[in-house]
């Protein structure tokens, strides 16, 4: 017989993986969707200001605009790898603790501050280039690193408070759309604008303005968690809180020692280092490879970079729903789904990257299907692999886990463009690109094997919080009868 304060088995079903909520979930487009869409949009804009530098450098270092008055600085191209990696120098330090700070004090206004700082620093690049050349751009990128390094773990605070267990792949994919969409827009639009009369500075100011507009939207509609949202329905709030089995208003000290000594956490961290290295190589060096190695012009380059990403969005929808379907229908346990998506994704992306270097220059358009495969497999990692495993171990401390993994990932990832500078001394030489991309594939695949061996889907005792009986009773009085029953 169920008593007051017990979970209704019709509402919450233990399927061997976690608790799956079976009661009413509120509106089909709920406040949780709006929060994740907002953060995804912001992530996409901010990420675009990071990745578009690869195409921008082609325009900054050579005359691409139809307007001959647009300045360009050939000397900056000598240190292009340093310019592209400099954003990681500062971002890795700020990622480590920003997730902890966001968990302790709330992430909304911190997200707004970091996004605003990124917009200002990005818009300063044309002025900085004219005054300080390479050094000026690097200074702007360092400031962007402070902003972006802080921003990413803070958004994990939002995900940990708003995303139910049953929707992790789908809701995680919404965030991925922000990133992939930004790559499409940044590559296609940047290439077009760079050749237009307003030139490469115009591309910077347009994306900087978009960044600023998003800050206004976030200030108006962003919220830390369901408990502080003024218009969320009782049903949706209970769905989220029952699924996560946690009270968002409760403060628990960050268990740093237990986090750093957890083998499951290290599986996530190491696999993130590997997959991030491949993503960094793709985002910073693919434009250089197809432009200088395969002789694409800047418009063709934009097409070769944007089209595969566009196709990957459609594939990502399928993979996101497939991941959740396999779990909720008990075909795969959560941990096995994470293992499969991570290993298939990182292996496919690494091999596709290497195979692209064997495309003959006289048939260089053949590289586009391989670039499509790279994007497809990278998407598999993002929507179903270790990218969301931190929420399985602890939704409450996922931001801390991703802060640590982001710090170490960036520390290793900053070597991706530097390795290109060291190894590829002739950027038209395909064999040198093969060596570089082969190194990236090995760095990506090896730690993912470790993740497969140690991955877990069990909520960790240090990251677990169940509402005490008095809170359960209080919630039951609030007409949440589908999740809590009274005798």
């Amino acid at each position: 017989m169920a008593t007051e304060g017990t979970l209704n088995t019709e509402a919450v079903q233990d399927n061997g993986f976690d608790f799956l909520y079976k009661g009413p979930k509120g509106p089909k487009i709920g406040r949780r969707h709006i929060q994740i869409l907002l953060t995804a949009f912001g992530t996409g804009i901010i990420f675009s200001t990071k990745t578009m530098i690869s195409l921008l450098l082609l325009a900054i270092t050579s005359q691409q605009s139809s307007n001959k008055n647009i300045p360009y600085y050939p000397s900056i191209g000598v240190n292009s790898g340093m310019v592209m990696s400099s954003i990681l120098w500062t971002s890795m330090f700020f990622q480590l603790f920003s997730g902890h700070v966001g968990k302790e004090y709330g992430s909304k206004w911190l997200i707004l501050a970091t996004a605003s700082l990124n917009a200002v620093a990005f818009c300063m690049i044309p002025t900085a280039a004219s005054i300080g050349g390479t050094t000026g751009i690097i200074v702007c990128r360092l400031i962007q690193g402070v902003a972006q390094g802080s921003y990413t773990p803070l958004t994990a605070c939002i995900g940990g408070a708003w995303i139910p267990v049953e929707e992790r792949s789908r809701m995680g994919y919404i965030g991925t759309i922000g990133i992939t969409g930004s790559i499409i827009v940044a590559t296609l639009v940047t290439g077009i604008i760079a050749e237009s009369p307003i030139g490469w500075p115009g591309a910077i100011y347009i994306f900087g303005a978009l960044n600023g507009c998003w800050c206004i939207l976030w200030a108006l509609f962003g919220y830390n968690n369901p408990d502080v949202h003024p218009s969320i329905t009782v049903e949706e709030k209970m769905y989220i809180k029952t699924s996560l089995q946690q009270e968002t208003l409760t403060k628990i000290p960050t268990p740093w020692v237990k986090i750093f000594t957890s083998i499951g956490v290290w599986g996530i961290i190491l696999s993130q280092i590997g997959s991030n290295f491949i993503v960094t190589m793709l985002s910073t060096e693919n434009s250089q490879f197809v432009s200088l190695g395969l002789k694409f012009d800047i418009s063709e380059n934009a097409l070769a970079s944007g089209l595969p990403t566009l196709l990957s969005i459609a594939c990502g929808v399928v993979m996101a729903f497939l991941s959740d379907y396999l779990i909720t229908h008990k075909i795969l346990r959560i941990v096995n789904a994470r293992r499969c998506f991570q290993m298939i994704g990182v292996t496919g992306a690494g091999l596709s990257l290497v195979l692209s270097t064997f495309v003959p220059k006289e048939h260089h358009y053949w590289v586009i299907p391989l670039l499509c495969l790279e994007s497809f497999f990278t998407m598999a990692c993002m929507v179903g692999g270790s990218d969301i495993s931190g929420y399985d171990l602890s939704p409450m401390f996922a931001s801390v886990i991703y802060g640590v993994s982001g710090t170490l990932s960036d520390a290793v990832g900053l070597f991706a463009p530097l390795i290109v500078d060291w190894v590829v001394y002739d950027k038209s030489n395909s064999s040198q690109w093969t060596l570089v991309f082969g190194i990236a594939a090995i760095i990506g695949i090896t730690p993912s094997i470790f993740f497969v061996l140690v991955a877990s889907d069990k909520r960790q005792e240090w990251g677990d919080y169940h509402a005490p009986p008095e809170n359960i009773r209080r919630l039951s009085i609030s007409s949440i009868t589908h999740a809590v029953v009274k005798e």
Side-chain angles (χ1 to χ4, degrees), residues 328-390:
T328 57
H329 286 75
K330 305 182 183 181
I331 298 172
L332 287 177
R333 295 178 61 88
I334 291 176
V335 65
N336 290 332
R338 306 290 186 249
R339 287 166 173 161
C340 290
F341 277 81
Q342 176 67 25
M343 203 64 211
I344 292 171
V346 74
T347 302
L351 293 179
S352 299
L353 189 62
V354 173
L355 289 174
S356 68
T357 63
F358 291 97
V359 173
K361 294 178 182 178
E362 61 270 21
H363 302 293
H364 61 270
Y365 280 105
W366 293 1
V367 79
I368 293 180
L370 288 171
L371 297 178
C372 290
L373 284 175
E374 291 171 20
S375 297
F376 171 83
F377 285 116
T378 301
M379 188 69 68
C381 297
M382 291 182 175
V383 303
S386 64
D387 275 36
I388 56 176
S389 289

Side-chain angles (χ1 to χ4, degrees), residues 136-410:
I137 296 179
I138 288 177
V139 169
C140 291
R141 297 276 287 174
L142 290 173
I143 297 173
Q144 281 189 268
V146 172
Q148 295 189 15
S150 303
Y151 175 89
T152 303
L154 291 172
T155 60
C157 293
I158 301 297
W162 282 96
I163 302 178
V165 173
E166 300 92 314
E167 299 179 5
R168 278 182 183 152
S169 291
R170 283 170 284 172
M171 298 285 268
Y173 178 63
I174 292 175
T176 303
I177 289 178
I179 297 175
T180 54
S182 74
I183 295 174
I184 295 171
V185 174
T187 52
L188 292 176
V189 174
T190 301
I192 295 171
I193 296 176
E195 294 181 333
S196 74
I198 63 175
W200 61 270
I204 289 177
Y205 295 136
I206 288 172
F207 279 87
L210 285 173
N211 193 157
C213 291
W214 180 85
C215 289
I216 296 173
L217 288 175
W218 178 253
L220 294 175
F221 302 110
Y223 292 93
N224 286 324
N225 56 62
D227 284 308
V228 298
H229 199 292
S231 61
I232 188 172
T233 65
V234 172
E235 291 80 10
E236 184 180 11
K237 182 190 291 188
M238 191 55 193
Y239 166 43
I240 295 169
K241 295 178 69 173
T242 303
S243 179
L244 294 178
Q245 292 287 292
Q246 67 183 20
E247 286 285 345
T248 54
L249 294 180
T250 300
K251 301 294 184 183
I252 300 178
T254 301
W256 290 103
V257 174
K258 292 182 178 180
I259 288 175
F260 278 110
T261 54
S262 169
I263 191 69
V265 169
W266 279 104
I268 294 171
I269 291 173
L270 293 178
S271 64
Q272 288 286 284
I273 290 173
S275 56
N276 180 72
F277 193 87
I278 290 182
V279 170
T280 302
M281 186 68 76
L282 285 169
S283 62
T284 61
E285 301 302 330
N286 242 10
S287 293
Q288 296 278 337
F289 167 63
V290 299
S291 175
L292 303 176
L294 296 177
K295 305 303 181 184
F296 280 64
D297 62 32
I298 193 166
S299 296
E300 293 172 331
N301 193 321
L303 177 64
S305 300
L307 180 60
T309 310
L310 178 63
L311 294 176
S312 73
I313 289 181
C315 298
V317 172
V318 176
M319 286 187 286
F321 278 90
L322 176 62
S323 177
D324 285 339
Y325 180 87
L326 293 173
I327 292 169
T328 57
H329 286 75
K330 305 182 183 181
I331 298 172
L332 287 177
R333 295 178 61 88
I334 291 176
V335 65
N336 290 332
R338 306 290 186 249
R339 287 166 173 161
C340 290
F341 277 81
Q342 176 67 25
M343 203 64 211
I344 292 171
V346 74
T347 302
L351 293 179
S352 299
L353 189 62
V354 173
L355 289 174
S356 68
T357 63
F358 291 97
V359 173
K361 294 178 182 178
E362 61 270 21
H363 302 293
H364 61 270
Y365 280 105
W366 293 1
V367 79
I368 293 180
L370 288 171
L371 297 178
C372 290
L373 284 175
E374 291 171 20
S375 297
F376 171 83
F377 285 116
T378 301
M379 188 69 68
C381 297
M382 291 182 175
V383 303
S386 64
D387 275 36
I388 56 176
S389 289
Y391 295 113
D392 298 331
L393 300 186
S394 172
M396 183 170 290
F397 296 108
S399 60
V400 177
I401 295 172
Y402 291 130
V404 175
S405 68
T407 296
L408 297 179
S409 294
D410 281 354

Side-chain angles (χ1 to χ4, degrees), residues 10 83 100 201 228 441:
E10 293 181 359
V83 170
H100 166 73
V228 298

Side-chain angles (χ1 to χ4, degrees), residues 42-54 56 87 115 118-119 121-123 125 141 144 148 182 186 203-204 206-211:
T43 300
I45 293 174
I46 291 172
F47 192 83
S48 70
T49 66
K50 175 183 179 179
T51 59
M52 66 191 293
I53 194 67
S54 181
L56 283 173
I87 196 170
N118 182 76
F122 188 62
C123 287
I125 287 178
R141 297 276 287 174
Q144 281 189 268
Q148 295 189 15
S182 74
I204 289 177
I206 288 172
F207 279 87
L210 285 173
N211 193 157

